[in-house]
Amino acid sequence: MARVNKNYGLLKENYLFSDIAKKVKKYCTENPTNTIIRMGIGDVTLPLPLVAVKAMQDASIEMGDKKTFKGYGDEQGYGFLQKAIQDYYIKTSNVSIDLDEIFISDGAKSDIGNFSELFSNDNEIVIPDPVYPVYIDSNIMLGRKIKLINGNKENSFLPLPSEDLKGDVIYLCSPNNPTGSVYSYEQLKIWVDYALNNNSVILFDSAYEAFISDNSLPRSIFQIENARKCCVEFCSLSKTAGFTGTRCGYTIVPKELIVEGIKLNNMWRRRQTTKYNGTSYIVQRGAEAIFSEEGIMQCKKNIDYYRTNAKIISDTLDEIGIWYTGGINSPYIWLECGRDSWDFFDFLLEKTNVVGTPGSGFGKCGEGFFRLTAFNSYENTCIAMERIKKIFQ
Ligand code: PLP
């Protein structure tokens, strides 16, 4: 008799954004003439940088020619893309990574979800709250014991290890989704020292590193001394380069990272070669172009566009006196709504036709808070903020 993984029964019934989509759909059906402005889901709206489009067009032509056609790709991704990422790390963070420590994937979400397979079920998993729901859900699916550590106004939503914390695998996300807060060098050093002293592993999600505009903040965990002995880093081109629909990410697993005498780099390669057949050649060529000088400039232009939106949102909140974090080194603005966050969602939808994300969807510490994203158009962001100003003033 087949039996299912009962841990799935412990998950919330729906993924957060499915719940939001359902509510918005119902509202639109009941109010067909109202213009909704979506500032909820963290998806980009600007098209791909032209360098990537051109590189993918060229790669498609190569795939249609017998002389240049490619079948299955290299195990960890093509060398040309690994080299481009290696150079990017040197340029942006002054961090050296070996090519065989870089694993190309179809995005950070799958790597983050899949990486937990490398750890046994008796690990204590530490996850900050509020946070990107994938860390918690993927560990619930595996029946893991999870310890949440609280983010709040007092610690600027950047929790640090307490003296009695017992954690074997620790998830950190900086710049953080949903709060937009970013760990400093000193704070990340506290985490790295904790991991080294406790033989723990930090799984560091830097999906939003390209949004960091303050040069005094770290973009990679490997900017912290000795992080190579205890950290893995996940990154993505989704928000950096508008690849949410194109799909490309990468994971850095240093060879010095050894757990119970086993190199996680070898384990991850073994896992990936067994269960993953690589990101398409065409997409990897597009990603390579993103890391060229021209590509980085075109991405920066798009990110600056979102930054302007974030500034419009934060200026509005300043004007009406609502507390918030984020928005400067992140596309997310995390505001204090001072009431049940789903109530606030309904209120904002009905009164302003603006869709955001209730903070409680990111964890219990998110209750009383609300996330807006800077990913809509400039025009829509301005209209949304005018509407919000009107009801709050
Ligand atoms: N990590 C964080 C913190 C995210 O917010 C997201 C997407 O929203 C991802 C990872 C997933 O990125 P990808 O599109 O590369 O799967």
Side-chain angles (χ1 to χ4, degrees):
M1 189 183 100
R3 280 175 296 274
V4 295
N5 178 351
K6 299 280 188 317
N7 295 316
Y8 275 64
L10 303 172
L11 295 166
K12 277 193 209 149
E13 206 174 310
N14 276 318
Y15 190 61
L16 171 64
F17 294 103
S18 322
D19 289 340
I20 293 176
K22 246 189 243 161
K23 272 188 176 254
V24 175
K25 193 169 170 205
K26 181 169 179 285
Y27 182 83
C28 290
T29 312
E30 289 164 3
N31 303 275
T33 54
N34 291 9
T35 326
I36 300 287
I37 299 180
R38 289 167 207 273
M39 302 174 86
I41 194 160
D43 198 359
V44 292
T45 49
L46 292 175
L48 292 176
L50 282 179
V51 278
V53 175
K54 171 80 175 60
M56 288 193 281
Q57 282 170 338
D58 292 348
S60 303
I61 290 166
E62 278 184 67
M63 293 297 265
D65 184 331
K66 198 167 192 308
K67 290 196 288 298
T68 47
F69 167 77
K70 301 216 164 9
Y72 289 123
D74 295 343
E75 272 185 2
Q76 282 184 223
Y78 284 100
F80 60 77
L81 180 53
Q82 289 171 313
K83 178 78 180 73
I85 292 169
Q86 184 184 52
D87 292 346
Y88 178 73
Y89 266 81
I90 300 246
K91 221 180 288 173
T92 55
S93 315
N94 198 24
V95 162
S96 300
I97 299 162
D98 290 347
L99 294 180
D100 58 0
E101 295 173 329
I102 303 172
F103 296 78
I104 311 297
S105 71
D106 63 356
K109 189 186 210 171
S110 32
D111 278 6
I112 293 165
N114 294 330
F115 208 88
S116 38
E117 276 180 33
L118 268 48
F119 301 102
S120 65
N121 263 1
D122 52 358
N123 278 281
E124 184 103 26
I125 311 292
V126 171
I127 302 179
D129 176 354
V131 89
Y132 182 50
V134 175
Y135 314 149
I136 295 180
D137 285 356
S138 54
N139 279 289
I140 290 179
M141 286 171 180
L142 293 170
R144 299 278 163 80
K145 214 162 108 198
I146 298 171
K147 162 115 187 83
L148 296 172
I149 48 170
N150 295 348
N152 47 44
K153 257 174 105 172
E154 288 65 46
N155 60 22
S156 306
F157 290 96
L158 294 167
L160 291 168
S162 58
E163 283 200 353
D164 60 345
L165 179 71
K166 287 196 175 42
D168 303 309
V169 178
I170 299 149
Y171 287 78
L172 296 179
C173 178
S174 179
N176 182 277
N177 177 11
T179 68
S181 46
V182 187
Y183 279 111
S184 67
Y185 277 93
E186 293 71 26
Q187 289 169 323
L188 282 187
K189 183 169 175 346
I190 293 173
W191 272 117
V192 168
D193 288 346
Y194 173 87
L196 291 170
N197 290 333
N198 292 278
N199 295 321
S200 318
V201 174
I202 294 175
L203 302 180
F204 188 77
D205 184 348
S206 65
Y208 296 92
E209 59 83 24
F211 282 81
I212 294 182
S213 52
D214 178 347
N215 288 331
S216 70
L217 294 169
R219 296 170 71 134
S220 163
I221 190 77
F222 299 121
Q223 288 174 283
I224 310 302
E225 201 181 349
N226 290 324
R228 289 177 56 85
K229 294 180 186 158
C230 59
C231 299
V232 171
E233 181 158 294
F234 303 96
C235 202
S236 162
L237 290 190
S238 283
K239 312 298 158 79
T240 303
F243 268 47
T244 50
T246 307
R247 310 302 305 145
C248 192
Y250 49 93
T251 294
I252 313 289
V253 192
K255 284 171 286 190
E256 287 99 310
L257 176 50
I258 298 170
V259 179
E260 292 191 302
I262 298 171
K263 280 188 183 175
L264 290 198
N265 180 291
N266 290 344
M267 274 182 93
W268 184 238
R269 181 176 303 101
R270 188 70 181 84
R271 192 268 169 212
Q272 290 298 78
T273 49
T274 302
K275 296 195 183 179
Y276 183 62
N277 253 343
T279 310
S280 89
Y281 172 71
I282 297 169
V283 168
Q284 291 195 55
R285 278 293 183 202
E288 179 195 23
I290 289 299
F291 293 108
S292 66
E293 226 164 272
E294 180 59 26
I296 291 172
M297 248 169 54
Q298 290 184 13
C299 289
K300 185 177 176 304
K301 199 166 152 217
N302 287 358
I303 289 172
D304 283 345
Y305 178 91
Y306 297 132
R307 277 204 186 105
T308 306
N309 291 346
K311 174 99 174 62
I312 292 164
I313 300 170
S314 46
D315 284 351
T316 305
L317 297 177
D318 282 336
E319 208 177 315
I320 56 184
I322 291 181
W323 185 92
Y324 65 92
T325 58
I328 298 170
N329 298 292
S330 153
Y332 298 123
I333 289 92
W334 179 248
L335 62 95
E336 188 172 32
C337 59
R339 60 166 112 167
D340 177 275
S341 57
W342 275 109
D343 266 5
F344 186 74
F345 173 91
D346 292 333
F347 167 80
L348 210 62
L349 179 61
E350 275 163 33
K351 299 284 181 212
T352 67
N353 298 167
V354 173
V355 179
T357 311
S360 62
F362 299 100
K364 76 172 180 357
C365 292
E367 190 50 276
F369 293 86
F370 198 76
R371 191 191 77 174
L372 291 175
T373 87
F375 285 130
N376 211 309
S377 67
Y378 170 79
E379 293 73 17
N380 278 346
T381 305
C382 291
I383 297 169
M385 290 307 110
E386 281 310 314
R387 291 181 190 170
I388 286 178
K389 234 189 271 181
K390 218 184 251 171
I391 58 152
F392 279 98
Q393 269 171 347

